[in-house]
Amino acid sequence: MNILNVENVSKSYMSKPVLSGVSVGINDTDKIGVVGTNGTGKSTLLSIVAGVTTPDSGQVITSNGLRISYLPQNPVFDTDKTLLENIADKIYAGGDHWDKMGEIKANLSKFGIDDPECSVEILSGGQKKRAALVAAIMTPSDLLILDEPTNHLDSDMIEWLEVFLQHFRGALLMITHDRYFLDEVTNQILEIDKGNVYRYESNYSGFLELKQQRLDYEQAAERKAATLFRKDLAWMLRGARARSTKQKAHIQRFEELRDRQRPEEERQVQLSSLPTRMGNKTIILDGITKSYEGKTLFKNFSYTFNKLDRIGIIGPNGCGKSTLMKCIIGLVNPDEGNVEIGQTIKIGYFGQENEALDESKRVIDYIKDTAEFIRTEEGLVSASVMCDRFLFNPEMQYAPISKLSGGEKRRLYLLRVLMEQPNVIILDEPTNDLDIQTLRILEDYLDGFAGIIITVSHDRYFLDRVVTRIFAFEEGGSLYQSEGGYSDYLVHKKETVGASAADNSSNTKGGAGSVNKASDDSTDEKASKNSWKTPREKTKLSFKEQREYDNIEAEIEALEEKSAELEAQIAEAATDYPKLVALSKEKEEVDAEIERKMDRFVELQELVDSFSGDK
């Protein structure tokens, strides 16, 4: 049953169209994931559907009595009230429901907030987001709207939220960068691209395939149109005269092809920089220990980083992951032990709270403060060009940072880190607020990065894609080490727990402060089978293809003439019904043959063009 319709909605910011005539319907069982690059209007669309933002034009029509619960990207709290009072007000709209306070406290504790009576002013951005999420999921609703709900959640919380949303009896409209989460929760994907909306009846994995089919179809249609345009252009240049109906139609087709709207190439972030040379001495952690308020985060931890280490650090919120990273870069001193940094080591730190952003500065000035130029494989590239590669056009470069969306600020912060040309990249929750497209490109960049990568992340897909070793925080300040990505860690951990339950003699696991190793014995073996004979590369049309190519244009023209003759006969036979039916059927067959011949002509022309390009 349809519960909400977005009808022809448009919205602009800073004279930049974000949404252009968007129309979307939502049914009561839809679980919709919204994807698209940062700044394309995802959060704006959710805010409009939730009734928080008013569109410039268009309208949102809801069914009678529709209840909507909304988690914004940046939740706002009343600083004059405690956290518990804020949550109760959001859930019950100011009504007295003190009998539910126990349930609120339990859910806040589940999401890592143990003091519900605290002032909201002492909460971090992540704690505020988790508290607002509790309010959103506890609010009775028919439509649940969530903007980046997995940000600042650890893996256990994400898995709990997955199960909750899978069993939620209502519609869901959600933005998230977590691709595993999208796969498990959604049954539809809504893509926003250049102000337009494309809908796919699938989860994220199916969306990737369906989107590629859409792009392939658009490109194939464009190649066909381009080939026909070249042919028609040559015909026009031979001196076409509009002396007949056929030639007039031919000229009209030429003009339509000439003025067609070509599919725009999808702009992507371009990550390109050369890391600073790294010497033999990297980063050495020698027996470091750190405690806060009587709680040991890590104890007597030692590790020497290899030159191409890809380390993922995981654990529940508050266990000490970010503190460990800050010890490495020198922002926090360990209580015991030493951190030694090699002289050639240059660290780029991508924090989770955009600590380095001065929102009063212009985008270009913020980047130039780090470097006017950066050395890439192509040579020196200016700060302005790098901004453009990160999808900040000249107009955006001279705008203050405060005007950017949350995702655009994260992208800008990432650019600044790369402009420093580090040989060690430390990423603290890099997937927060970055769009999926940028994440995929970042992952490709990290694949070829000639240095050390250390990342804290709860994004399971990102960990599986990027890291080759997991450090997992455990009780008492110990760190469990597992070779492989996050999925491998889960397997190793399960095997370890099973082995411990069956036999306590396993002495390969160290105590507090040690690094426990789990080998990945289940590595897939990939075998490639070479054919006994390698086929020769095709360099020209076969004799049959060449003859077909030489004659096909004449055949198309003859068929077009026949179609025009049939059209004239149909006009004359308007009162002779049996003859009209026969002529119409014959014309349909001729037109279908013209279409088939045109498709074949495009195929042959592409072969000819490819051979010409090889020479």
Side-chain angles (χ1 to χ4, degrees):
M1 182 182 73
N2 182 267
I3 58 174
L4 184 144
N5 283 315
V6 177
E7 295 187 354
N8 203 30
V9 160
S10 297
K11 186 69 178 178
S12 298
Y13 287 108
M14 296 171 57
S15 302
K16 173 188 173 185
V18 177
L19 301 174
S20 302
V22 170
S23 295
V24 177
I26 300 177
N27 292 327
D28 56 352
T29 58
D30 287 344
K31 300 285 194 296
I32 303 172
V34 183
V35 301
T37 57
N38 293 137
T40 55
K42 302 188 299 295
S43 293
T44 300
L45 176 63
L46 263 62
S47 179
I48 290 172
V49 173
V52 174
T53 299
T54 303
D56 297 337
S57 61
Q59 59 182 338
V60 177
I61 301 173
T62 61
S63 60
N64 290 332
L66 180 69
R67 300 172 300 171
I68 296 177
S69 179
Y70 174 49
L71 171 70
Q73 189 176 49
N74 298 302
V76 178
F77 292 87
D78 185 345
T79 56
D80 294 330
K81 297 182 178 181
T82 67
L83 175 62
L84 185 61
E85 290 169 339
N86 268 280
I87 300 302
D89 284 350
K90 289 178 182 291
I91 296 173
Y92 303 114
D96 283 332
H97 289 273
W98 297 101
D99 57 320
K100 297 289 186 179
M101 288 303 184
E103 186 180 354
I104 297 174
K105 292 177 181 178
N107 280 312
L108 285 173
S109 179
K110 184 181 300 179
F111 281 85
I113 301 173
D114 297 322
D115 184 10
E117 301 290 350
C118 69
S119 167
V120 294
E121 293 182 300
I122 69 170
L123 298 178
S124 68
Q127 289 172 319
K128 289 179 181 177
K129 188 67 180 274
R130 296 199 298 275
L133 176 60
V134 168
I137 61 178
M138 287 189 67
T139 301
S141 62
D142 306 302
L143 172 60
L144 182 56
I145 302 176
L146 304 176
D147 194 340
E148 296 287 8
T150 60
N151 281 4
H152 310 289
L153 300 186
D154 63 33
S155 300
D156 290 340
M157 295 176 192
I158 291 173
E159 290 171 7
W160 181 91
L161 185 60
E162 267 183 15
V163 174
F164 173 85
L165 294 177
Q166 286 168 350
H167 294 86
F168 175 66
R169 294 187 176 182
L172 173 68
L173 183 65
M174 172 183 66
I175 299 169
T176 181
H177 58 264
D178 191 318
R179 287 152 284 185
Y180 283 161
F181 193 81
L182 278 172
D183 260 351
E184 292 297 322
V185 172
T186 65
N187 55 28
Q188 295 184 49
I189 296 293
L190 204 66
E191 180 191 20
I192 303 180
D193 184 23
K194 303 179 186 71
N196 299 316
V197 169
Y198 302 92
R199 192 164 187 163
Y200 306 85
E201 302 287 332
S202 177
N203 62 5
Y204 181 73
S205 295
F207 150 73
L208 291 177
E209 183 177 351
L210 293 172
K211 178 181 178 179
Q212 191 57 52
Q213 289 176 8
R214 175 176 72 82
L215 294 176
D216 289 345
Y217 174 79
E218 289 178 356
Q219 291 300 322
E222 171 58 21
R223 288 196 301 269
K224 176 181 176 181
T227 301
L228 293 175
F229 175 72
R230 289 199 302 270
K231 181 171 77 74
D232 287 355
L233 177 62
W235 180 77
M236 292 288 291
L237 292 174
R238 288 199 296 267
R241 298 287 185 270
R243 291 190 299 260
S244 68
T245 301
K246 180 179 96 66
Q247 289 189 330
K248 286 180 180 178
H250 202 154
I251 292 171
Q252 183 181 358
R253 186 181 75 180
F254 166 78
E255 291 173 344
E256 290 173 353
L257 289 169
R258 179 195 61 197
D259 300 333
R260 72 189 184 278
Q261 183 176 2
R262 295 164 176 78
E264 293 183 39
E265 186 175 348
E266 191 173 26
R267 287 198 69 199
Q268 295 187 342
V269 176
Q270 299 178 48
L271 300 183
S272 176
S273 67
L274 293 176
T276 306
R277 186 189 66 84
M278 186 188 300
N280 291 326
K281 185 177 180 180
T282 58
I283 300 173
I284 301 171
L285 309 181
D286 183 14
I288 62 173
T289 298
K290 188 66 182 179
S291 299
Y292 275 119
E293 299 178 355
K295 178 183 178 181
T296 300
L297 301 180
F298 43 88
K299 183 178 180 182
N300 194 29
F301 176 57
S302 298
Y303 187 79
T304 299
F305 288 88
N306 297 318
K307 285 187 176 182
L308 292 176
D309 262 346
R310 270 86 172 119
I311 306 295
I313 303 175
I314 64 173
N317 288 325
C319 69
K321 303 184 299 296
S322 295
T323 302
L324 175 60
M325 300 180 89
K326 289 178 179 179
C327 283
I328 294 173
I329 63 178
L331 292 178
V332 173
N333 293 321
D335 299 336
E336 299 175 11
N338 298 303
V339 177
E340 297 181 38
I341 306 293
Q343 288 186 346
T344 59
I345 293 299
K346 190 170 183 180
I347 296 175
Y349 175 60
F350 184 61
Q352 62 174 301
E353 296 292 345
N354 295 346
E355 296 97 332
L357 277 175
D358 180 355
E359 298 201 358
S360 65
K361 283 190 174 181
R362 297 184 305 180
V363 169
I364 187 66
D365 294 333
Y366 173 74
I367 296 302
K368 284 184 175 180
D369 284 348
T370 300
E372 293 271 357
F373 294 90
I374 183 173
R375 187 171 297 280
T376 70
E377 295 176 354
E378 307 145 24
L380 287 177
V381 176
S382 70
S384 178
V385 171
M386 286 300 293
C387 283
D388 189 66
R389 289 183 177 184
F390 270 60
L391 307 186
F392 297 108
N393 61 36
E395 182 182 356
M396 296 177 71
Q397 290 178 29
Y398 288 92
I401 294 174
S402 59
K403 297 294 184 181
L404 302 180
S405 69
E408 288 169 332
K409 290 174 184 176
R410 291 292 283 170
R411 194 197 309 149
L412 180 65
Y413 184 22
L414 176 61
L415 171 57
R416 175 157 174 158
V417 171
L418 297 182
M419 288 290 287
E420 296 170 354
Q421 296 193 274
N423 49 31
V424 176
I425 294 180
I426 296 182
L427 306 166
D428 194 353
E429 295 292 359
T431 61
N432 284 358
D433 294 319
L434 282 182
D435 60 75
I436 293 175
Q437 183 190 51
T438 303
L439 282 176
R440 291 168 63 189
I441 296 165
L442 174 60
E443 290 159 358
D444 290 340
Y445 170 81
L446 294 176
D447 280 346
F449 179 71
I452 298 170
I453 299 167
I454 309 169
T455 181
V456 166
S457 181
H458 295 120
D459 189 315
R460 300 156 295 176
Y461 186 99
F462 182 81
L463 290 170
D464 278 346
R465 179 71 173 75
V466 171
V467 308
T468 57
R469 184 172 297 161
I470 293 286
F471 287 168
F473 273 75
E474 297 187 321
E475 291 292 331
S478 64
L479 286 157
Y480 176 91
Q481 179 181 337
S482 168
E483 299 301 312
Y486 181 80
S487 297
D488 297 313
Y489 158 74
L490 291 179
V491 173
H492 297 153
K493 193 65 179 171
K494 185 177 180 181
E495 291 172 351
T496 302
V497 171
S500 297
D503 183 5
N504 292 326
S505 65
S506 176
N507 56 10
T508 61
K509 307 294 180 283
S514 64
V515 177
N516 305 317
K517 296 186 177 180
S519 61
D520 186 359
D521 296 328
S522 60
T523 304
D524 292 332
E525 296 183 359
K526 296 181 179 179
S528 61
K529 297 181 179 180
N530 297 323
S531 172
W532 67 275
K533 180 180 178 182
T534 303
R536 289 183 300 172
E537 186 178 356
K538 190 172 181 179
T539 59
K540 64 178 182 178
L541 295 177
S542 67
F543 174 79
K544 183 179 179 181
E545 288 171 336
Q546 185 64 53
R547 186 171 60 180
E548 184 182 8
Y549 178 69
D550 291 340
N551 296 328
I552 196 166
E553 287 191 71
E555 292 172 359
I556 291 172
E557 289 190 6
L559 287 167
E560 287 176 337
E561 288 180 3
K562 186 173 182 180
S563 178
E565 290 171 3
L566 288 169
E567 188 172 352
Q569 292 177 31
I570 288 171
E572 294 173 358
T575 58
D576 188 344
Y577 182 74
K579 186 177 181 181
L580 185 63
V581 171
L583 288 171
S584 297
K585 183 178 179 181
E586 185 179 0
K587 186 176 185 302
E588 285 179 7
E589 293 172 353
V590 170
D591 289 344
E593 181 64 11
I594 291 172
E595 185 67 21
R596 190 189 69 78
K597 290 280 187 183
M598 283 184 171
D599 287 342
R600 180 57 177 160
F601 173 73
V602 171
E603 291 176 10
L604 293 171
Q605 185 65 52
E606 287 179 347
L607 282 174
V608 171
D609 291 344
S610 68
F611 299 147
S612 299
D614 292 338
K615 292 181 180 179

